[in-house]
Amino acid sequence: MSNVRVRFAPSPTGYLHVGGARTALFNWLFARHHGGTFILRIEDTDRTRSTEEAIDQIKESLNWLTLDWDEYYRQTDRLERHREIAEELLSKGAAYESEGAVWFRAPRSGITAVEDLILGRVEFSNSEFKDFVILRSDRTPTYNFACVVDDHDMGMTHVIRGDEHLNNTPKQLWIYEALGWDPPSFAHIPLILGPDRTKLSKRHGAVSVLEYRRRGFLPEALVNFLARLGWSHGDQEIFTREELIRYFDLNGVRSAAAVFDEAKLLWLNHEWLRRTDPGRLADLLAEYIVQEGVATEEEVRALGKERLVRAAELLRERNKTLVDMAHAARFLFPGELPVPEGAEKFLVPEIATPLEEIAAALEGLYEFTPQAVEECIREKLAELGLRLKDVAQPIRVAASGRTVGPGLFDLLTLAGKELVVERLRAASRRLRGDVK
RNA sequence: GUCCCCGUCGUCUAGCGGUCUAGGAUCCCGGUCUUUCAAGCCGGAGGCGGGGGUUCGAAUCCCCCCGGGGACACCA
């Protein structure tokens, strides 16, 4: 099957949602796996609902997911062709005109069988159907008609689409037959459901692909997750793009609908955050820090790439999204830090002196590395007769504004001597003043 | 309502007549490690929708029921 030609044919009436993205992904993987051609065709024949913004969003979404297309078409560019074929159907008597629209004459009896690659043979009783419009009174083609003409003209070998189109297939098959054309193979993939088990839609919350980007998901995580919704390869859960291309095929696709489980997506995203190249992750982290208003672009730049990379490496261990990482990076930048919920118990008056002493000791350090910082703090603690356990959390809260985070010495090193010393002293001062 | 599709742990899934006292992942709950929290590691809870068949033998095949979903436009 080296001449495989498939397409993703969205209607530009809104953003690309994850269900559509999954259909695009399956088509793309099928094409890439077989060394075929992946086509993006915008089905914009409904002029009242189609928008340019939607087309841009769809392209941007596919680009973000790195689902590149080899050919691109817009259905409305082919109106003349659609009308021409409608005429042909008219002259053949397969269609007729009524009330200004062109109607296709549906068979009144018999059965139509769809040989689906995933579902197997599905039979429909022709009496279930009625004649249907192929050309509206404004001379624009309707879905079932334009779809057939384009799929034929564009040489599609397989039509891989959502389950909701299964009932349309008989109608399309009749049109192929009336025109004397060979239909492509069909593969209807199961729907993606929301937690309530109804077709996933906006009322289920975030469903737009770009929304997942905004929320700090990595495209490889979303792709990996979407691929595993309805498709599997043994027990493997994590797939690189190359593995997906190598293993993907229609025989691994299930026929049952799947629920979109965000908890698992989160887990996968964490896995991918930890597998991603640190340099790239650092750049992404910088973007999200600005996006989330954690720091300004200038402040991020002032931090320098090297520290950003180190921050990304440490922060990705304990955060599941880039957005979470960005917020966890707050302490890298100047400014007052919050006292997190539940941290009051660490900031007790008795700790004021140790904090001050440790700040002074750290200030004298020439080399501010994790090893040096640890040595310095442990030395000071021995001197004070305290254990690390006694001061670790107070220091962490004072220096980072959080009760959880990277290992203490890594955290202090990352924040830098200046900020750490300043914050430990500020905390110490505050504790003395707060003695009440 | 009619037609169509589907039905294994809460969720994603493996299973394609015996190797299943049903495996993995996620989630949840313990334990371990520890300067926090994660991660890691160890352990636990949790499922073949129901009923009939077929067969020496059924999660796997057939039928019925039940349940869920989708489609029924001059939208795609």
Side-chain angles (χ1 to χ4, degrees), chain A residues 101-177:
Chain A
V102 178
W103 297 71
F104 186 85
R105 221 183 287 280
R108 308 295 301 163
S109 60
I111 60 157
T112 298
V114 177
E115 298 293 345
D116 191 275
L117 261 26
I118 294 170
L119 267 19
R121 182 186 176 86
V122 182
E123 294 187 348
F124 294 86
S125 182
N126 292 162
S127 59
E128 291 297 325
F129 300 88
K130 297 176 291 188
D131 293 353
F132 56 95
V133 170
I134 56 176
L135 222 53
R136 302 183 183 96
S137 31
D138 69 355
R139 312 307 285 171
T140 58
T142 58
Y143 168 71
N144 284 122
F145 180 57
C147 180
V148 167
V149 175
D150 291 351
D151 282 340
H152 168 267
D153 286 1
M154 295 171 191
M156 309 299 8
T157 56
H158 303 259
V159 168
I160 302 171
R161 77 222 313 191
D163 218 349
E164 74 265 31
H165 288 295
L166 183 58
N167 295 294
N168 283 318
T169 314
K171 297 182 189 176
Q172 299 188 6
L173 251 14
W174 300 332
I175 298 177
Y176 278 104
E177 198 184 347

Coordinates of all heavy atoms in Angstrom, one line a residue, chain A residues 101-177:
Chain A
A101 N -33.4 23.2 -5.5 CA -32.3 22.4 -5.1 C -32.2 21.1 -5.9 O -33.2 20.7 -6.5 CB -32.5 22.0 -3.6
V102 N -31.0 20.5 -5.9 CA -30.9 19.3 -6.7 C -30.9 18.1 -5.7 O -30.1 18.1 -4.7 CB -29.6 19.3 -7.5 CG1 -29.4 17.9 -8.2 CG2 -29.6 20.4 -8.5
W103 N -31.8 17.2 -5.9 CA -31.9 16.1 -5.0 C -31.4 14.8 -5.6 O -31.6 14.5 -6.8 CB -33.4 15.9 -4.7 CG -34.0 17.0 -3.9 CD1 -34.3 18.3 -4.5 CD2 -34.4 17.1 -2.6 NE1 -34.9 19.1 -3.5 CE2 -35.0 18.4 -2.3 CE3 -34.4 16.1 -1.5 CZ2 -35.5 18.7 -1.1 CZ3 -34.9 16.5 -0.3 CH2 -35.4 17.8 -0.1
F104 N -30.8 14.0 -4.8 CA -30.4 12.7 -5.3 C -31.5 11.7 -5.0 O -32.1 11.7 -3.9 CB -29.1 12.2 -4.5 CG -28.5 10.9 -5.0 CD1 -27.6 11.0 -6.1 CD2 -28.8 9.7 -4.5 CE1 -27.1 9.8 -6.7 CE2 -28.3 8.5 -5.0 CZ -27.5 8.6 -6.1
R105 N -31.7 10.8 -6.0 CA -32.8 9.8 -5.9 C -32.3 8.6 -5.1 O -31.5 7.9 -5.7 CB -33.2 9.4 -7.3 CG -34.7 9.3 -7.5 CD -35.0 8.8 -8.9 NE -34.8 9.8 -9.9 CZ -35.7 10.8 -10.2 NH1 -36.8 10.8 -9.5 NH2 -35.5 11.7 -11.2
A106 N -32.8 8.4 -3.9 CA -32.3 7.3 -3.1 C -33.1 6.0 -3.5 O -34.2 6.1 -3.9 CB -32.5 7.6 -1.7
P107 N -32.4 4.9 -3.5 CA -33.1 3.7 -3.8 C -34.2 3.4 -2.8 O -34.1 3.8 -1.7 CB -32.0 2.6 -3.8 CG -31.0 3.2 -2.9 CD -31.0 4.7 -3.2
R108 N -35.3 2.9 -3.3 CA -36.5 2.6 -2.4 C -36.4 1.3 -1.7 O -37.1 1.1 -0.7 CB -37.8 2.7 -3.2 CG -37.9 4.0 -4.1 CD -38.0 5.2 -3.2 NE -39.1 5.2 -2.3 CZ -39.2 6.0 -1.3 NH1 -38.3 6.8 -1.0 NH2 -40.3 5.9 -0.5
S109 N -35.7 0.4 -2.3 CA -35.6 -1.0 -1.6 C -34.2 -1.5 -1.7 O -33.3 -0.9 -2.3 CB -36.6 -1.9 -2.3 OG -36.3 -2.0 -3.7
G110 N -34.1 -2.7 -1.2 CA -32.8 -3.4 -1.2 C -32.0 -3.0 0.0 O -32.4 -2.3 0.9
I111 N -30.7 -3.5 0.0 CA -29.9 -3.2 1.1 C -28.5 -2.7 0.6 O -28.1 -3.0 -0.5 CB -29.6 -4.4 2.1 CG1 -28.9 -5.5 1.2 CG2 -30.8 -4.9 2.7 CD1 -28.1 -6.4 2.1
T112 N -27.9 -1.9 1.4 CA -26.5 -1.4 1.0 C -25.6 -1.8 2.1 O -25.9 -1.6 3.3 CB -26.5 0.2 0.9 OG1 -27.5 0.6 -0.1 CG2 -25.1 0.7 0.6
A113 N -24.5 -2.4 1.7 CA -23.6 -2.9 2.7 C -22.3 -2.1 2.6 O -21.8 -1.8 1.6 CB -23.2 -4.4 2.4
V114 N -21.8 -1.7 3.8 CA -20.6 -1.0 3.9 C -19.5 -2.0 4.4 O -19.8 -2.6 5.5 CB -20.7 0.2 4.9 CG1 -19.3 0.8 5.1 CG2 -21.7 1.1 4.5
E115 N -18.5 -2.2 3.7 CA -17.4 -3.1 4.2 C -16.4 -2.2 4.9 O -15.5 -1.7 4.3 CB -16.7 -3.8 3.0 CG -17.7 -4.7 2.2 CD -18.1 -5.9 3.0 OE1 -17.5 -6.2 4.0 OE2 -19.1 -6.5 2.5
D116 N -16.6 -2.1 6.2 CA -15.7 -1.2 7.0 C -14.5 -2.0 7.5 O -14.6 -3.1 8.0 CB -16.5 -0.7 8.2 CG -15.8 0.5 8.9 OD1 -15.0 0.2 9.8 OD2 -16.0 1.6 8.5
L117 N -13.3 -1.3 7.4 CA -12.1 -1.9 7.8 C -12.0 -2.2 9.3 O -11.2 -3.0 9.8 CB -10.9 -1.0 7.4 CG -10.2 -1.4 6.1 CD1 -11.0 -2.1 5.1 CD2 -9.6 -0.1 5.4
I118 N -12.8 -1.4 10.1 CA -12.7 -1.6 11.5 C -14.0 -2.3 12.0 O -13.9 -3.2 12.9 CB -12.6 -0.2 12.2 CG1 -11.2 0.4 11.9 CG2 -12.8 -0.4 13.7 CD1 -11.1 1.8 12.3
L119 N -15.1 -1.9 11.5 CA -16.4 -2.5 11.9 C -16.8 -3.8 11.2 O -17.6 -4.6 11.7 CB -17.5 -1.5 11.7 CG -17.9 -0.6 12.9 CD1 -16.8 -0.5 13.9 CD2 -18.2 0.8 12.3
G120 N -16.2 -4.1 10.1 CA -16.6 -5.2 9.4 C -17.7 -4.9 8.4 O -17.9 -3.7 8.1
R121 N -18.5 -5.8 8.1 CA -19.7 -5.5 7.2 C -20.8 -5.0 7.9 O -21.3 -5.6 8.9 CB -20.1 -6.9 6.5 CG -21.2 -6.7 5.5 CD -21.6 -8.1 5.0 NE -22.7 -8.1 4.1 CZ -22.6 -7.8 2.7 NH1 -21.4 -7.7 2.2 NH2 -23.7 -7.8 2.0
V122 N -21.3 -3.8 7.5 CA -22.5 -3.2 8.1 C -23.6 -3.0 7.0 O -23.3 -2.4 6.0 CB -22.1 -1.9 8.7 CG1 -23.4 -1.3 9.4 CG2 -21.0 -2.0 9.7
E123 N -24.7 -3.6 7.3 CA -25.8 -3.5 6.3 C -26.9 -2.5 6.7 O -27.2 -2.3 7.8 CB -26.4 -4.9 6.1 CG -25.5 -5.9 5.5 CD -26.2 -7.2 5.2 OE1 -27.4 -7.4 5.6 OE2 -25.6 -8.0 4.5
F124 N -27.3 -1.8 5.7 CA -28.4 -0.8 5.9 C -29.5 -1.1 4.9 O -29.3 -1.5 3.8 CB -27.9 0.6 5.5 CG -26.9 1.1 6.5 CD1 -25.5 0.8 6.2 CD2 -27.2 1.9 7.6 CE1 -24.5 1.3 7.1 CE2 -26.2 2.3 8.5 CZ -24.9 2.0 8.2
S125 N -30.7 -1.0 5.4 CA -31.9 -1.2 4.6 C -32.2 0.1 3.9 O -32.3 1.2 4.5 CB -33.1 -1.5 5.5 OG -34.2 -1.8 4.8
N126 N -32.2 0.1 2.6 CA -32.4 1.3 1.8 C -33.7 2.0 2.1 O -33.7 3.3 1.9 CB -32.3 1.0 0.3 CG -30.9 0.5 -0.1 OD1 -30.7 -0.1 -1.2 ND2 -29.9 0.8 0.7
S127 N -34.6 1.3 2.5 CA -35.9 2.0 2.8 C -35.8 2.9 4.0 O -36.7 3.8 4.2 CB -37.0 0.9 3.1 OG -36.6 0.1 4.2
E128 N -34.7 2.9 4.7 CA -34.5 3.8 5.8 C -34.2 5.2 5.4 O -34.3 6.1 6.1 CB -33.3 3.3 6.7 CG -33.6 2.0 7.4 CD -34.7 2.2 8.4 OE1 -34.8 3.3 9.0 OE2 -35.5 1.2 8.6
F129 N -33.8 5.3 4.1 CA -33.3 6.6 3.6 C -34.3 7.3 2.7 O -35.2 6.6 2.1 CB -32.0 6.4 2.9 CG -30.9 5.9 3.7 CD1 -30.7 4.5 3.9 CD2 -30.0 6.7 4.4 CE1 -29.7 4.0 4.7 CE2 -29.0 6.2 5.2 CZ -28.9 4.8 5.4
K130 N -34.2 8.5 2.6 CA -35.0 9.3 1.7 C -34.1 10.0 0.7 O -32.9 10.0 0.9 CB -35.8 10.4 2.5 CG -36.7 9.8 3.5 CD -37.4 10.9 4.4 CE -36.4 11.6 5.3 NZ -37.0 12.5 6.3
D131 N -34.7 10.6 -0.3 CA -33.9 11.4 -1.2 C -33.3 12.5 -0.4 O -33.8 12.9 0.6 CB -34.8 12.0 -2.3 CG -35.5 11.0 -3.2 OD1 -35.1 9.8 -3.1 OD2 -36.4 11.3 -4.0
F132 N -32.1 13.0 -0.9 CA -31.4 14.0 -0.1 C -30.8 15.1 -1.1 O -30.5 14.8 -2.3 CB -30.4 13.4 0.8 CG -29.3 12.6 0.0 CD1 -28.1 13.1 -0.4 CD2 -29.6 11.2 -0.3 CE1 -27.2 12.4 -1.0 CE2 -28.6 10.5 -0.9 CZ -27.4 11.0 -1.3
V133 N -30.6 16.2 -0.6 CA -30.1 17.4 -1.4 C -28.6 17.2 -1.6 O -27.9 16.9 -0.7 CB -30.4 18.7 -0.6 CG1 -29.7 19.8 -1.3 CG2 -31.9 19.0 -0.6
I134 N -28.2 17.4 -2.8 CA -26.8 17.4 -3.1 C -26.3 18.8 -3.5 O -25.1 19.1 -3.3 CB -26.4 16.4 -4.2 CG1 -27.2 16.6 -5.5 CG2 -26.6 15.0 -3.7 CD1 -26.7 15.7 -6.6
L135 N -27.3 19.6 -4.0 CA -26.9 21.0 -4.4 C -28.0 21.9 -3.8 O -29.2 21.7 -4.1 CB -26.9 21.1 -5.9 CG -25.7 22.0 -6.5 CD1 -24.4 21.5 -6.1 CD2 -25.9 21.9 -8.0
R136 N -27.6 22.8 -2.9 CA -28.6 23.6 -2.3 C -29.2 24.6 -3.3 O -28.6 24.7 -4.4 CB -28.0 24.4 -1.1 CG -27.3 23.6 0.0 CD -26.8 24.5 1.1 NE -26.1 23.7 2.1 CZ -24.8 23.5 2.1 NH1 -24.0 24.0 1.2 NH2 -24.2 22.8 3.1
S137 N -30.2 25.3 -2.9 CA -30.8 26.2 -3.9 C -29.8 27.4 -4.2 O -30.0 28.1 -5.2 CB -32.1 26.8 -3.3 OG -32.2 26.8 -1.9
D138 N -28.8 27.6 -3.4 CA -27.8 28.6 -3.7 C -26.7 28.0 -4.6 O -25.6 28.6 -4.8 CB -27.3 29.3 -2.5 CG -26.4 28.3 -1.6 OD1 -26.3 27.1 -2.0 OD2 -25.8 28.8 -0.6
R139 N -26.9 26.8 -5.0 CA -26.0 26.1 -5.9 C -24.7 25.6 -5.2 O -23.7 25.2 -5.9 CB -25.5 26.9 -7.1 CG -26.7 27.6 -7.9 CD -27.8 26.6 -8.3 NE -27.4 25.7 -9.4 CZ -28.1 24.7 -9.8 NH1 -29.2 24.4 -9.2 NH2 -27.8 24.0 -10.8
T140 N -24.6 25.6 -3.9 CA -23.4 25.1 -3.2 C -23.7 23.6 -2.9 O -24.9 23.3 -2.6 CB -23.1 25.8 -1.9 OG1 -24.3 25.8 -1.0 CG2 -22.8 27.3 -2.2
P141 N -22.7 22.8 -2.9 CA -22.9 21.4 -2.6 C -23.0 21.1 -1.1 O -22.5 21.8 -0.3 CB -21.6 20.7 -3.2 CG -20.6 21.8 -2.9 CD -21.3 23.1 -3.2
T142 N -23.7 20.0 -0.8 CA -23.8 19.6 0.6 C -22.7 18.5 0.8 O -22.1 18.0 -0.1 CB -25.2 18.9 0.9 OG1 -25.3 17.8 0.0 CG2 -26.3 19.9 0.7
Y143 N -22.6 18.2 2.1 CA -21.5 17.4 2.5 C -21.4 16.1 1.8 O -20.3 15.8 1.2 CB -21.6 17.1 4.0 CG -20.8 16.0 4.5 CD1 -19.4 16.2 4.6 CD2 -21.3 14.8 4.9 CE1 -18.5 15.2 5.1 CE2 -20.4 13.7 5.3 CZ -19.1 13.9 5.4 OH -18.3 12.9 5.8
N144 N -22.4 15.2 1.8 CA -22.3 13.9 1.2 C -21.9 13.9 -0.2 O -21.2 13.0 -0.7 CB -23.6 13.1 1.4 CG -23.8 12.6 2.8 OD1 -24.7 13.0 3.5 ND2 -22.8 11.9 3.3
F145 N -22.3 15.0 -0.9 CA -22.0 15.1 -2.3 C -20.6 15.6 -2.6 O -19.8 15.0 -3.3 CB -23.0 16.0 -3.0 CG -22.8 16.2 -4.5 CD1 -22.8 15.1 -5.3 CD2 -22.6 17.5 -5.0 CE1 -22.6 15.3 -6.7 CE2 -22.4 17.7 -6.3 CZ -22.4 16.6 -7.2
A146 N -20.3 16.7 -2.0 CA -18.9 17.3 -2.2 C -17.9 16.3 -1.8 O -16.8 16.2 -2.4 CB -18.8 18.6 -1.4
C147 N -18.2 15.7 -0.7 CA -17.2 14.7 -0.1 C -16.9 13.6 -1.1 O -15.7 13.3 -1.3 CB -17.9 14.1 1.1 SG -16.9 12.9 2.0
V148 N -17.9 13.1 -1.8 CA -17.7 12.0 -2.7 C -16.9 12.5 -4.0 O -15.9 11.9 -4.4 CB -19.0 11.4 -3.2 CG1 -18.8 10.6 -4.4 CG2 -19.6 10.6 -2.1
V149 N -17.3 13.7 -4.5 CA -16.7 14.2 -5.7 C -15.2 14.5 -5.4 O -14.3 14.1 -6.1 CB -17.3 15.5 -6.1 CG1 -16.6 16.1 -7.3 CG2 -18.8 15.2 -6.6
D150 N -14.9 15.1 -4.2 CA -13.5 15.4 -3.8 C -12.7 14.2 -3.5 O -11.6 14.1 -3.9 CB -13.5 16.4 -2.7 CG -14.1 17.7 -3.1 OD1 -14.3 18.0 -4.3 OD2 -14.3 18.6 -2.2
D151 N -13.3 13.3 -2.8 CA -12.6 12.0 -2.5 C -12.2 11.3 -3.7 O -11.1 10.8 -3.9 CB -13.4 11.1 -1.5 CG -13.4 11.6 -0.1 OD1 -12.5 12.4 0.3 OD2 -14.3 11.2 0.7
H152 N -13.1 11.3 -4.7 CA -12.8 10.6 -5.9 C -11.7 11.4 -6.7 O -10.7 10.8 -7.1 CB -14.0 10.5 -6.8 CG -13.8 10.1 -8.2 ND1 -13.6 11.0 -9.2 CD2 -13.5 8.9 -8.8 CE1 -13.2 10.3 -10.4 NE2 -13.2 9.0 -10.1
D153 N -12.0 12.7 -6.9 CA -11.0 13.5 -7.7 C -9.6 13.5 -7.1 O -8.6 13.6 -7.8 CB -11.5 14.9 -7.8 CG -12.7 15.0 -8.8 OD1 -13.1 14.0 -9.3 OD2 -13.2 16.1 -9.0
M154 N -9.6 13.5 -5.8 CA -8.3 13.6 -5.1 C -7.6 12.2 -4.9 O -6.6 12.1 -4.3 CB -8.4 14.3 -3.8 CG -8.9 15.7 -3.9 SD -9.3 16.5 -2.4 CE -10.1 18.0 -3.0
G155 N -8.3 11.2 -5.5 CA -7.7 9.9 -5.4 C -7.5 9.2 -4.1 O -6.6 8.5 -3.8
M156 N -8.5 9.5 -3.2 CA -8.4 8.9 -1.8 C -8.5 7.4 -1.9 O -9.4 6.9 -2.6 CB -9.5 9.5 -0.9 CG -9.7 11.0 -0.9 SD -8.3 12.0 -0.3 CE -7.1 10.9 -0.1
T157 N -7.7 6.7 -1.2 CA -7.7 5.3 -1.2 C -8.5 4.8 0.0 O -9.1 3.7 0.0 CB -6.3 4.6 -1.2 OG1 -5.6 5.1 -0.1 CG2 -5.6 5.0 -2.5
H158 N -8.4 5.6 1.1 CA -9.1 5.2 2.4 C -9.7 6.5 3.0 O -9.1 7.5 2.9 CB -8.0 4.7 3.4 CG -7.3 3.5 2.9 ND1 -7.6 2.2 3.3 CD2 -6.2 3.4 2.0 CE1 -6.7 1.4 2.6 NE2 -5.9 2.1 1.9
V159 N -10.9 6.2 3.5 CA -11.5 7.3 4.2 C -11.6 6.9 5.7 O -12.3 6.0 6.0 CB -13.0 7.6 3.7 CG1 -13.7 8.5 4.6 CG2 -12.9 8.2 2.3
I160 N -10.8 7.6 6.5 CA -10.8 7.2 7.9 C -11.4 8.4 8.6 O -11.0 9.5 8.6 CB -9.3 7.1 8.4 CG1 -8.6 6.0 7.6 CG2 -9.3 6.8 9.9 CD1 -7.1 5.9 7.9
R161 N -12.6 8.2 9.3 CA -13.3 9.3 9.8 C -14.1 8.8 11.1 O -14.1 7.6 11.4 CB -14.3 9.8 8.8 CG -15.4 8.9 8.6 CD -16.2 8.5 7.5 NE -16.6 9.4 6.5 CZ -17.4 9.1 5.5 NH1 -18.0 7.9 5.4 NH2 -17.7 10.0 4.6
G162 N -14.7 9.7 11.8 CA -15.4 9.4 13.0 C -16.6 8.5 12.7 O -17.3 8.6 11.7
D163 N -16.9 7.7 13.7 CA -18.1 6.8 13.7 C -19.4 7.5 13.4 O -20.3 6.9 12.8 CB -18.2 6.3 15.2 CG -18.6 4.9 15.2 OD1 -19.0 4.4 14.1 OD2 -18.5 4.2 16.2
E164 N -19.5 8.8 13.7 CA -20.8 9.5 13.5 C -21.1 9.6 12.0 O -22.2 9.9 11.6 CB -20.7 10.9 14.1 CG -19.9 11.9 13.4 CD -18.5 12.0 14.0 OE1 -18.0 11.0 14.5 OE2 -17.9 13.2 13.9
H165 N -20.1 9.2 11.1 CA -20.4 9.3 9.7 C -20.8 8.0 9.1 O -21.1 7.9 7.9 CB -19.1 9.8 9.0 CG -18.8 11.2 9.2 ND1 -19.6 12.2 8.7 CD2 -17.7 11.8 9.8 CE1 -19.1 13.4 9.0 NE2 -17.9 13.2 9.7
L166 N -20.8 7.0 9.9 CA -21.2 5.6 9.4 C -22.5 5.7 8.6 O -22.6 5.1 7.6 CB -21.2 4.6 10.5 CG -21.5 3.2 10.1 CD1 -20.5 2.7 9.1 CD2 -21.5 2.3 11.4
N167 N -23.5 6.3 9.2 CA -24.8 6.4 8.6 C -24.8 7.1 7.2 O -25.8 7.0 6.5 CB -25.8 7.0 9.5 CG -26.0 6.1 10.7 OD1 -26.5 5.0 10.6 ND2 -25.6 6.6 11.9
N168 N -23.8 7.9 7.0 CA -23.7 8.7 5.7 C -23.2 7.8 4.6 O -23.4 8.1 3.4 CB -22.8 9.9 5.9 CG -23.4 11.0 6.7 OD1 -24.6 11.3 6.5 ND2 -22.7 11.6 7.6
T169 N -22.5 6.8 5.0 CA -21.8 6.0 4.0 C -22.6 5.4 2.9 O -22.3 5.5 1.7 CB -20.9 4.9 4.7 OG1 -20.2 5.6 5.8 CG2 -19.9 4.4 3.7
P170 N -23.8 4.9 3.2 CA -24.7 4.3 2.2 C -25.0 5.4 1.1 O -24.8 5.1 -0.1 CB -25.9 3.9 2.9 CG -25.4 3.5 4.2 CD -24.4 4.6 4.6
K171 N -25.3 6.6 1.5 CA -25.6 7.7 0.6 C -24.4 7.9 -0.3 O -24.6 8.1 -1.5 CB -25.9 8.9 1.4 CG -27.2 8.9 2.2 CD -27.4 10.2 2.9 CE -28.5 10.2 3.9 NZ -28.7 11.4 4.6
Q172 N -23.3 8.0 0.3 CA -22.1 8.2 -0.5 C -21.8 7.1 -1.5 O -21.4 7.3 -2.6 CB -20.9 8.5 0.4 CG -21.1 9.7 1.3 CD -19.9 10.1 2.1 OE1 -18.8 9.6 2.0 NE2 -20.1 11.0 3.0
L173 N -22.0 5.9 -1.0 CA -21.8 4.7 -1.9 C -22.8 4.8 -3.1 O -22.3 4.5 -4.2 CB -22.1 3.4 -1.1 CG -21.0 2.5 -0.7 CD1 -19.6 3.1 -0.8 CD2 -21.3 2.0 0.7
W174 N -24.0 5.3 -2.9 CA -24.9 5.4 -4.1 C -24.4 6.4 -5.1 O -24.5 6.2 -6.3 CB -26.3 5.8 -3.6 CG -26.9 4.9 -2.6 CD1 -26.7 3.6 -2.5 CD2 -27.9 5.3 -1.6 NE1 -27.5 3.0 -1.5 CE2 -28.2 4.1 -0.9 CE3 -28.5 6.5 -1.2 CZ2 -29.1 4.0 0.1 CZ3 -29.4 6.4 -0.2 CH2 -29.7 5.2 0.5
I175 N -23.8 7.5 -4.6 CA -23.3 8.5 -5.5 C -22.2 7.9 -6.3 O -22.1 8.1 -7.5 CB -22.9 9.7 -4.7 CG1 -24.1 10.4 -4.0 CG2 -22.3 10.8 -5.7 CD1 -23.8 11.6 -3.1
Y176 N -21.3 7.2 -5.7 CA -20.2 6.6 -6.4 C -20.7 5.7 -7.5 O -20.3 5.7 -8.6 CB -19.3 5.7 -5.4 CG -18.3 6.5 -4.6 CD1 -18.6 6.8 -3.2 CD2 -17.1 7.0 -5.2 CE1 -17.7 7.5 -2.5 CE2 -16.2 7.7 -4.4 CZ -16.5 7.9 -3.1 OH -15.6 8.6 -2.3
E177 N -21.7 4.9 -7.1 CA -22.3 4.0 -8.0 C -22.9 4.6 -9.2 O -22.7 4.3 -10.4 CB -23.3 3.1 -7.3 CG -23.6 1.8 -8.0 CD -24.7 1.0 -7.3 OE1 -25.0 1.4 -6.1 OE2 -25.3 0.1 -7.9

